[in-house]
Amino acid sequence: MVTGGLAMSRDIDGGRIAARGLRYQYLRTVEAMLDVLDSDIITAVRIEGPHGAHQVNAVDFDMVNSDGRVQLAAQVKSVGPGGTVSAAAAFGQLLPLVVDHDAVHYQLLTNANPDPGAQKLAALLASPGTPDQLRAGLTALLANAPARREQLAALDDQQLQRLSRARVLFDLRDIGELRETLRERIRTYRNRQREGLGAQSAGMLTRALTAEVFDRAVEADQSVFTMIRFRELLLVDGTVLALATGARDWGVVVGAIPPIPDVARLDRLEPLVAALQQASRRQPARAVLTGPSGIGKSSLAAAYLADRADTYDVIFWIDGETPFTLLAAFRQIAAYLRTGSPDGPSSAVQDAVRAEVHTALSRFPGRWALIIDNVSDPRFAQSWIPATGDGHVILTAVDATARYRSATVLDVGAMTAEQATTLLARRLGLPPADRLTVEDRATLLRLAEALGNYPLALELAAGYLDSLGLSLADTDVYLERLKIRSLADEQSIPADYPRTLIGAVSLCLDRLRSRADSNNGEAALLAIGMISFAAYLASRQLPVHLLAAAVMIDPDSTDRAMGPLLLDPSEFPVNEATRELRRYSLVAYDADLPQESDLMKIGSGRTITVNSVIQDVLRASLPFHDGSADAFDQLANHVERWHTAAAELNLLHRAAVLFSHADTLAHHLLRVGIGSERIALLVGNLAAAYRTRGDTATAEDLLRIEIDILRHASRPNELLIVQAELTLVQFAVYDNNTAPIDTSRLTAYLEHALTFASRIAEESRDAAVRLLYQATKLLETPRLLATHHVGLHQIKNACDDLLAQLGPSEYTRALDAVLTSNDAMSSGHPDRAEQICRDLLNQNMLTGHGELSARRLLIEALAAQRDWDEATIEFAQLRAAFGPSAMHHDIVSDLVHNAGMHCALSILTGTDEAPVTLLTELTAWPTVHTAMDYVTPEYQARLRLLTAIKDLACGDDEAVETFLRSYTPAALSDTPELHGWLMIWQQLRIASVRLN
């Protein structure tokens, strides 16, 4: 006997290998049973085959009908990662199955990689032919395996006939992929039967079924697993499953669900459940929760999900406060449905992203829930609601009079007296209502009644009483203060809210101000400033550090770099100020801002939410309308910094949240007529954000507002005016603009740029050169050249002359170098283009679009020289530069056409494997597919063709065949070189040439 550590290690490894093999075998057994769920023939599966029979180890499971006839006998073989199987080995594994067992069909299931001989064996068994033809084919295939040839020769006619009914199935999924497949199939089956099942429990049920198979394999008298019992286990009640597993089954949640309320409102929940139970599988049921802000609409929707989430596979929670929060949320949904993560890139325009989500939800295999919360414009929100799909839709909205089509409209209303007293008791740290004394319960009822059983008023009152250390015995004092404050605020907006609610808000604010006047009131003072600024931004995901910095820092007071300004918590009581606001229930924590970065450091993502009633009261009562724009000016500067930084860093989801705040603030500022240079800059950057969202009309309106604000300033910033005017010219000549050219207006803008550049040429040479260069490039666009306008021609000549006098700047040299590199590529000198681009990137002379253009050209130059490894490395750099954004679609489409062309030609004409890697990464880049919403049909046809060539190179015959059946070469009629690729490729495909 061999002893020692080495032998023990081998035994352990052998045990693990055996365990892995059994796990694979039992998972494949469960999958085989799922395959025949709907079969009328298969009645049972025998685990480990017919016990007591000869050569029982040859059968891992077989399927029998009601008469006991074996319909399928299967052998499952697993190997370690990277393991292979030969034709001889596979034939040897099949042989005992067909020799010793009579069945209608036979299968060898294996996760081994087949070598060419094994592939031919599988094809030979699957091909039609006589037993004699099969024997002849196998004899030739096993020429180098004499032992197997002898076994083949020994088969009689009946056994050979059985062999012709055998199949070899290669399955290269790993255990994780196999489990995920089973989980999704189980979820689909349960959803079809209206049982509902989320990802976690599906995995638990998969493990339970695998364990069931194992138990039946151990005990011979339990080996028969009937399909009736299998179906019963698949449809086990959700409550039983939750109790058995010790966990609640939740679907995936995309979006930030508010806190689940701790006071149940069953009288409101039951009608909502009933309204959504009427859904068909093709038309979503819809319910609308209406009522004023603070009544508990969002909390009721959250309570519904807490009660029913196990019936959904995925839950989407959407902020419907503005059109932009809606669009940002639907982009997250699109990314999730496309990639399984809400953080994928998407900057698709409104119509495109809405269509993508509606299409995906209409064919989503499971059940989904869509909650659109805090809808400000019901008419706008209606267009976002999917018309088909297996789902439920809940809207929460203030407007109860709007038309919600076929949706069930439920008025939420105030709490019941019992619910209100329960809420107050919990917030005040009292025993449950049923354990209170008669006096205390009566006091709570009186307080709740005075507050109209209004959830927000109850929260505010509890926060106020608790902060002062008042007991129930002091309730009369509070109610007297509330009465006085309510009468004083009778004229406050909104007028349709209970005066006691407005009074409750005002009392909390009064208490906060009194704390600010105390000796240690620094945190309360900062809190007042933060909540005051919060009144002029969107109500959700308000960045704590943005609000605090806007209160404490005047950016002009010191020499500060661009980007967000963050307060050091060790010097400023940021956290304490937030705690002060939460003390009075004026705010609650919200979901963190997405996408941290080096410039937006950890902690800067913390956000709060403010109820819109509180915002309304604040805007009505705070002394912001005293004629001074300083406070707004400072807030606008900080909001602009945060928004612009997120956009420039391509932090798209973060930029979408901040865009909502910037847009809301701009709306308030323009409404009250306050303007300054900082506010104009905020408006101008909003215009750029609208343009990236495909709304050029709004962007143009905002640019004109920016120009108007700047022109009416006491000291107009002419540089900003000229930059805005040149952007308006850019809108007119680019962006697929089909409106007629207003030559007189554009001439005036370009002439202003020329005049201003001439005036600042001596003191600000680089700025003048940059403006002249931009104007010159605009004047060279086909749309302006086609006007043949004399004035524009004269401006072009003057710009050229002044540029010649001033000479280029480093910036214009860099841009010209990009153009030179492009010319070098066109003239067949990729090596020169490569060197130019490398020099530019090493010198860090370019940013934004210019840098991305240089990176694109570098990749194309390397691909043209067949330097595939370097091209792949540089493509990774380009992806990193893009981040999650997909804004520069011209760069994406050019890269797909040019670099993709080089990869495809090399694959089709050579045997080099390297371009396959680059082409695979290029066609899999999510940004490439996002660009499909913006580009021509020819681009889409090119991408489909490149993807098919990649599939051909990777051996995906099924995908290739599908493409050939659906592809129309006429789509490439304007690109004959691509049509030529298709012709070459089809010839190669017909000849069955495998390109690797």
Side-chain angles (χ1 to χ4, degrees):
M1 178 180 290
V2 179
T3 61
L6 180 59
M8 184 178 294
S9 173
R10 284 174 177 166
D11 288 342
I12 292 173
D13 287 343
R16 286 175 177 165
I17 291 171
R20 292 190 191 106
L22 290 173
R23 178 177 59 180
Y24 178 76
Q25 174 185 327
Y26 298 149
L27 286 172
R28 289 306 303 266
T29 303
V30 172
E31 185 173 47
M33 296 183 74
L34 288 171
D35 289 339
V36 296
L37 264 179
D38 299 324
S39 171
D40 295 327
I41 299 175
I42 305 300
T43 59
V45 174
R46 298 186 297 190
I47 312 302
E48 295 293 350
H51 287 270
H54 177 61
Q55 286 283 355
V56 67
N57 289 332
V59 181
D60 288 323
F61 68 86
D62 62 9
M63 296 182 170
V64 298
N65 63 14
S66 58
D67 297 328
R69 170 68 166 148
V70 178
Q71 301 296 307
L72 172 69
Q75 172 71 205
V76 183
K77 292 293 183 182
S78 68
V79 297
T84 61
V85 63
S86 65
F91 180 80
Q93 292 161 357
L94 267 179
L95 208 57
L97 199 62
V98 300
V99 168
D100 298 307
H101 299 276
D102 182 22
V104 177
H105 301 287
Y106 304 86
Q107 284 183 357
L108 170 62
L109 309 174
T110 179
N111 63 350
N113 284 290
D115 69 10
Q119 288 181 321
K120 291 179 180 178
L121 172 65
L124 184 60
L125 291 172
S127 63
T130 65
D132 289 339
Q133 289 173 327
L134 176 62
R135 190 190 296 274
L138 289 174
T139 300
L141 181 62
L142 301 173
N144 296 323
R148 297 301 183 211
R149 290 184 64 178
E150 291 179 8
Q151 291 174 320
L152 173 63
L155 294 178
D156 60 30
D157 290 342
Q158 183 185 32
Q159 293 168 336
L160 192 62
Q161 183 66 40
R162 290 177 183 176
L163 185 61
S164 70
R165 302 196 300 270
R167 299 293 182 266
V168 181
L169 303 179
F170 304 108
D171 176 15
L172 302 185
R173 292 172 296 176
D174 59 27
I175 291 294
E177 292 171 323
L178 179 54
R179 277 179 171 163
E180 185 62 25
T181 300
L182 293 178
R183 183 157 48 236
E184 290 302 318
R185 292 187 64 179
I186 292 171
R187 282 172 53 177
T188 300
Y189 180 75
R190 284 179 61 97
N191 284 328
R192 198 166 66 232
Q193 304 299 321
R194 283 287 190 268
E195 288 296 328
L197 192 67
Q200 187 178 10
S201 292
M204 293 174 182
L205 188 49
T206 303
R207 288 191 289 273
L209 291 171
T210 307
E212 180 81 9
V213 172
F214 173 80
D215 290 341
R216 292 178 181 277
V218 171
E219 301 294 335
D221 59 345
Q222 298 292 322
S223 65
V224 178
F225 197 172
T226 68
M227 294 303 298
I228 292 176
R229 178 57 180 161
F230 183 65
R231 294 186 185 98
E232 289 175 351
L233 290 175
L234 281 176
L235 297 178
V236 63
D237 181 76
T239 304
V240 174
L241 184 61
L243 292 173
T245 59
R248 185 67 181 264
D249 175 28
W250 283 78
V252 176
V253 178
V254 179
I257 293 181
I260 307 300
D262 56 354
V263 176
R265 302 180 67 180
L266 296 180
D267 58 320
R268 306 296 178 184
L269 183 60
E270 289 174 357
L272 178 58
V273 172
L276 295 175
Q277 284 180 339
Q278 309 304 318
S280 69
R281 296 199 62 81
R282 300 311 307 158
Q283 185 174 6
R286 297 185 293 157
V288 182
L289 304 177
T290 64
S293 293
I295 204 68
K297 302 182 298 296
S298 301
S299 294
L300 181 59
Y304 170 82
L305 292 179
D307 185 63
R308 311 288 293 182
D310 55 324
T311 63
Y312 298 106
D313 296 283
V314 62
I315 297 164
F316 302 106
W317 189 283
I318 290 173
D319 179 7
E321 183 175 14
T322 70
F324 317 109
T325 57
L326 262 172
L327 177 58
F330 265 75
R331 283 175 174 156
Q332 277 194 305
I333 295 175
Y336 172 82
L337 293 171
R338 193 187 312 118
T339 66
S341 167
D343 299 322
S346 176
S347 66
V349 293
Q350 177 176 297
D351 292 344
V353 73
R354 181 165 50 208
E356 178 184 356
V357 170
H358 286 187
T359 300
L361 290 180
S362 71
R363 58 192 182 201
F364 188 75
R367 172 166 286 175
W368 47 265
L370 182 67
I371 295 85
I372 307 181
D373 186 30
N374 195 20
V375 171
S376 58
D377 185 349
R379 291 173 300 176
F380 181 81
Q382 289 287 350
S383 65
W384 291 94
I385 298 174
T388 59
D390 184 13
H392 294 160
V393 180
I394 301 175
L395 270 69
T396 73
V398 171
D399 190 351
T401 65
R403 295 183 62 187
Y404 294 103
R405 299 177 185 172
S406 61
T408 302
V409 180
L410 302 172
D411 181 22
V412 175
M415 285 181 152
T416 65
E418 182 179 357
Q419 294 163 356
T421 54
T422 300
L423 176 61
L424 285 173
R426 291 188 178 182
R427 296 299 180 268
L428 294 173
L430 301 173
D434 58 356
R435 290 168 48 195
L436 289 171
T437 65
V438 174
E439 292 82 1
D440 284 349
R441 181 173 173 78
T443 302
L444 284 180
L445 283 168
R446 188 156 51 88
L447 177 57
E449 183 180 2
L451 294 166
N453 295 334
Y454 209 96
L456 176 60
L458 296 170
E459 295 281 3
L460 292 170
Y464 182 87
L465 291 168
D466 185 60
S467 70
L468 289 176
L470 298 177
S471 66
L472 283 183
D474 301 306
T475 299
D476 288 336
V477 176
Y478 174 76
L479 290 177
E480 183 63 26
R481 293 178 185 175
L482 181 65
K483 179 180 178 181
I484 295 172
R485 172 54 75 181
S486 298
L487 292 174
D489 286 326
E490 187 172 359
Q491 302 303 317
S492 295
I493 59 170
D496 56 333
Y497 285 89
R499 284 185 295 170
T500 51
L501 171 59
I502 307 303
V505 173
S506 298
L507 277 178
C508 289
L509 293 172
D510 287 346
R511 177 60 184 153
L512 192 59
R513 293 187 189 101
S514 68
R515 289 176 62 84
D517 293 335
S518 65
N519 292 333
N520 297 315
E522 185 181 3
L525 188 63
L526 177 57
I528 290 174
M530 291 169 63
I531 193 68
S532 300
F533 279 143
Y536 288 87
L537 304 179
S539 64
R540 293 288 308 275
Q541 287 188 282
L542 291 143
V544 169
H545 273 272
L546 187 159
L547 295 170
V551 174
M552 302 301 297
I553 302 175
D554 179 357
D556 285 345
S557 62
T558 55
D559 182 19
R560 298 180 184 272
M562 293 302 295
L565 303 179
L566 306 179
L567 297 181
D568 186 346
S570 66
E571 299 181 23
F572 299 94
V574 179
N575 296 330
E576 291 80 359
T578 308
R579 191 177 300 116
E580 289 286 334
L581 294 171
R582 295 178 64 230
R583 184 194 305 275
Y584 302 101
S585 298
L586 291 169
V587 306
Y589 279 128
D590 205 348
D592 287 353
L593 287 177
Q595 298 174 300
E596 294 282 1
S597 70
D598 291 339
L599 294 182
M600 300 196 178
K601 298 177 182 177
I602 295 175
S604 70
R606 176 62 62 88
T607 73
I608 54 177
T609 179
V610 184
N611 190 279
S612 58
V613 174
I614 296 173
Q615 290 181 308
D616 289 340
V617 174
L618 284 164
R619 288 197 300 271
S621 60
L622 291 174
F624 262 151
H625 305 299
D626 59 359
S628 171
D630 290 346
F632 282 129
D633 192 57
Q634 191 157 309
L635 176 60
N637 184 268
H638 283 274
V639 172
E640 188 274 329
R641 284 170 172 269
W642 280 65
H643 176 229
T644 301
E648 289 182 350
L649 291 171
N650 289 328
L651 303 176
L652 192 61
H653 294 163
R654 178 178 286 237
V657 174
L658 296 166
F659 173 80
S660 182
H661 294 307
D663 190 70
T664 302
L665 176 60
H667 171 78
H668 287 303
L669 297 180
L670 297 176
R671 178 175 54 83
V672 299
I674 296 178
S676 69
E677 183 177 310
R678 288 175 172 174
I679 293 171
L681 189 61
L682 171 72
V683 172
N685 284 325
L686 266 179
Y690 269 100
R691 186 190 180 199
T692 63
R693 286 159 174 77
D695 191 347
T696 304
T698 302
E700 289 184 5
D701 291 341
L702 288 172
L703 282 172
R704 293 190 180 96
I705 292 172
E706 178 192 12
I707 293 170
D708 187 61
I709 294 173
L710 291 169
R711 283 176 175 164
H712 287 86
S714 57
R715 298 180 60 186
N717 186 324
E718 196 170 1
L719 175 60
L720 292 180
I721 293 174
V722 170
Q723 289 175 337
E725 290 175 342
L726 288 177
T727 304
L728 285 172
V729 177
Q730 191 177 36
F731 284 3
V733 299
Y734 291 125
D735 295 337
N736 296 321
N737 198 329
T738 58
I741 289 286
D742 184 350
T743 51
S744 60
R745 182 172 61 89
L746 300 189
T747 300
Y749 289 160
L750 290 163
E751 188 171 15
H752 186 196
L754 172 61
T755 303
F756 179 70
S758 302
R759 192 162 67 247
I760 67 170
E762 290 188 9
E763 60 185 31
S764 302
R765 174 185 169 277
D766 283 354
V769 170
R770 189 164 185 159
L771 289 174
L772 292 167
Y773 186 88
Q774 184 179 357
T776 298
K777 295 306 174 187
L778 289 170
L779 287 161
E780 291 173 353
T781 56
R783 289 207 77 193
L784 288 188
L785 289 174
T787 65
H788 303 292
H789 191 272
V790 175
L792 292 175
H793 181 68
Q794 291 173 344
I795 295 172
K796 174 68 167 60
N797 290 337
C799 286
D800 290 341
D801 291 342
L802 188 53
L803 272 175
Q805 294 175 25
L806 296 175
S809 66
E810 291 185 351
Y811 174 78
T812 59
R813 283 194 189 95
L815 291 180
D816 281 334
V818 174
L819 297 176
T820 302
S821 175
N822 191 68
D823 292 340
M825 287 294 297
S826 300
S827 60
H829 297 287
D831 54 338
R832 184 162 176 260
E834 176 194 352
Q835 189 59 52
I836 293 171
C837 291
R838 288 196 183 279
D839 291 343
L840 284 172
L841 295 170
N842 290 337
Q843 294 167 12
N844 293 318
M845 295 299 302
L846 293 169
T847 59
H849 189 275
E851 177 193 353
L852 296 176
S853 296
R855 292 194 180 279
R856 170 185 68 81
L857 285 165
L858 177 57
I859 296 167
E860 293 171 12
L862 292 167
Q865 298 174 82
R866 301 199 173 195
D867 192 346
W868 304 114
D869 291 341
E870 279 295 310
T872 303
I873 292 171
E874 291 299 332
F875 178 61
Q877 296 269 352
L878 179 71
R879 290 187 64 164
F882 260 83
S885 173
M887 295 192 303
H888 302 288
H889 304 291
D890 57 326
I891 289 174
V892 176
S893 58
D894 286 345
L895 182 68
V896 167
H897 178 268
N898 299 331
M901 182 193 305
H902 292 304
C903 291
L905 287 172
S906 182
I907 290 170
L908 293 173
T909 60
T911 58
D912 190 1
E913 295 182 2
V916 177
T917 301
L918 177 58
L919 186 60
T920 300
E921 294 187 8
L922 182 65
T923 54
W925 187 21
T927 301
V928 167
H929 297 275
T930 302
M932 297 276 276
D933 297 327
Y934 296 85
V935 295
T936 62
E938 286 75 17
Y939 169 88
Q940 300 177 31
R942 293 168 194 162
L943 182 57
R944 287 189 63 206
L945 177 55
L946 291 173
T947 303
I949 294 173
K950 179 268 298 181
D951 291 337
L952 178 67
C954 294
D956 191 343
D957 290 339
E958 184 176 349
V960 172
E961 293 293 342
T962 300
F963 172 77
L964 281 172
R965 286 195 298 269
S966 62
Y967 191 69
T968 304
L972 297 169
S973 58
D974 68 331
T975 51
E977 69 277 15
L978 289 178
H979 192 196
W981 295 356
L982 181 60
M983 297 294 290
I984 296 171
W985 177 43
Q986 287 174 325
Q987 292 300 317
L988 292 172
R989 184 69 185 87
I990 293 171
S992 300
V993 175
R994 168 65 55 215
L995 296 177
N996 293 314

